[in-house]
Amino acid sequence: MDIYVVVNKDDWEVGDTLTDKSSNGVENETTNDSGGIWPPLEIWSSPLTPGQYDIVIDVNRNGTWDAGEPIDSWTTEGFNVVPEFSTIAIPAAAVIGLFLLIRRHRT
């Protein structure tokens, strides 16, 4: 099977093309003989692009979604990637610092 990380989609239709968005590319895995189980695996390594994503298993490895192929969520995004704390904290601290500096100059 092929494992794709794709941009979130809530209206899947048979034949939709699967475009992997992870930095690793499509993961190719083979399950064992005892019920389709495989060990934990990394499907996306750093850097992660913020956004909403789904995980899709392309069982027949044809690069399109077919009826019955697993998707991690049908009605909402499967998972969200949010910016790292430092990418939010530094600009926020700069804005607060400017606000305090402007306020200090007014008094």
Side-chain angles (χ1 to χ4, degrees):
M1 72 185 83
D2 290 337
I3 303 170
Y4 288 81
V5 175
V6 300
V7 173
N8 176 58
K9 186 173 183 175
D10 294 333
D11 56 348
W12 288 93
E13 295 182 19
V14 171
D16 283 349
T17 300
L18 300 172
T19 304
D20 192 80
K21 296 298 183 181
S22 72
S23 56
N24 295 6
V26 175
E27 297 296 324
N28 308 106
E29 288 296 321
T30 303
T31 62
N32 64 22
D33 292 335
S34 61
I37 298 172
W38 65 87
L41 63 125
E42 182 177 286
I43 60 171
W44 197 351
S45 58
S46 294
L48 306 179
T49 305
Q52 298 178 333
Y53 300 93
D54 290 325
I55 300 170
V56 179
I57 308 296
D58 185 10
V59 177
N60 60 7
R61 303 177 102 168
N62 66 354
T64 62
W65 182 78
D66 297 302
E69 291 185 321
I71 300 174
D72 64 345
S73 180
W74 289 93
T75 57
T76 62
E77 70 278 356
F79 68 96
N80 289 304
V81 175
V82 296
E84 291 185 37
F85 176 74
S86 61
T87 62
I88 297 172
I90 293 171
V95 169
I96 291 170
L98 284 172
F99 173 75
L100 293 174
L101 183 63
I102 291 170
R103 188 170 180 206
R104 181 175 175 197
H105 284 291
R106 286 186 181 174
T107 56

